[in-house]
Amino acid sequence: MPIIPTSSSTERKREFERGLAHLVRLGRVSAGLEVEAQAQPIYLLSTQDAAKQPDLNQVGKLVAWRYFATNAKGDVVAGEVSASLPPTLSNLRYGAPAKKILEATKALDELPQVQAGSFYLRVL
């Protein structure tokens, strides 16, 4: 089974869409990019906490969600939205850096080990 899909809140997705629309208005990316349904949770993990507690599910702190927007031409925008309320957009990447992040995610999903198991993607 591939990586188990995760999703975030509607408010966070809207915050990413606002940032994406701003990039379009600035002319940095073309209009018509579609926001992908899956979001990647981003966790903060200190080495001290990891050394004290082997269960990373208990010591990792959810701090943000990463979204992707793509189109048929291969354009990619990646953005991070805080896990706090109200959510705030903290980062937007486009072009080659965003494409590399998306390609790395897709490559993970295609690994035989991932296809044979059940995994949740977590960015540390």
Side-chain angles (χ1 to χ4, degrees):
M1 170 181 240
I3 294 172
I4 298 166
T6 56
S7 61
S8 180
S9 71
T10 303
E11 294 98 350
R12 287 181 183 86
K13 183 179 177 189
R14 273 193 240 129
E15 183 67 14
F16 173 68
E17 290 169 339
R18 279 193 283 275
L20 182 60
H22 184 70
L23 284 180
V24 171
R25 282 192 303 275
L26 291 174
R28 305 277 168 83
V29 298
S30 60
L33 287 122
E34 294 290 324
V35 177
E36 295 195 1
Q38 293 183 18
Q40 298 176 346
I42 301 174
Y43 287 81
L44 177 65
L45 178 66
S46 76
T47 53
Q48 290 176 340
D49 289 341
K52 292 176 192 173
Q53 171 61 262
D55 185 354
L56 300 181
N57 289 319
Q58 295 196 12
V59 294
K61 179 183 175 192
L62 179 64
V63 293
W65 290 87
R66 179 180 292 149
Y67 291 88
F68 292 101
T70 60
N71 64 15
K73 295 188 307 183
D75 297 328
V76 179
V77 174
E80 284 135 30
V81 178
S82 70
S84 62
L85 291 174
T88 56
L89 182 68
S90 60
N91 191 355
L92 281 173
R93 293 181 184 98
Y94 57 93
K99 195 175 232 178
K100 284 182 183 181
I101 296 168
L102 183 59
E103 287 171 354
T105 299
K106 288 182 178 182
L108 278 175
D109 206 26
E110 294 170 6
L111 290 172
Q113 304 91 316
V114 172
Q115 291 293 318
S118 296
F119 298 94
Y120 288 99
L121 177 64
R122 293 197 171 136
V123 179
L124 295 178

